[in-house]
Amino acid sequence: MQIKRLLAIATFGLALGACTAEVEDKGSLPDVDVKGGEAPSIDVDPANVNVGTDTQTVVTPDVSVTPTEGNDK
């Protein structure tokens, strides 16, 4: 299934690369008149967020490290 998908993508890429296009007429944007209008009125109720602090005691183990001789790195 993966091989078929990969081959399809590769074929599409080759077909896309084989095409050339030349712009004969650059064209132009249409004339647009914009009048009036009003932005919508939006009533937003923000979420109520309570932030507080709490004190906790965390027990950590004692670690003893003894370096070996000859390891000066």
Side-chain angles (χ1 to χ4, degrees):
M1 185 70 173
Q2 290 283 49
I3 294 174
K4 288 182 181 180
R5 187 177 300 165
L6 182 61
L7 286 174
I9 292 171
T11 303
F12 181 72
L14 288 173
L16 204 66
C19 298
T20 59
E22 293 182 26
V23 178
E24 295 176 5
D25 183 16
K26 290 186 179 182
S28 62
L29 295 175
D31 294 330
V32 178
D33 292 330
V34 179
K35 295 180 184 179
E38 183 177 319
S41 176
I42 300 173
D43 183 25
V44 177
D45 295 325
N48 186 14
V49 178
N50 294 322
V51 178
T53 60
D54 190 15
T55 303
Q56 297 288 323
T57 302
V58 178
V59 179
T60 58
D62 291 331
V63 178
S64 177
V65 177
T66 306
T68 60
E69 290 190 34
N71 195 2
D72 297 332
K73 292 183 181 178

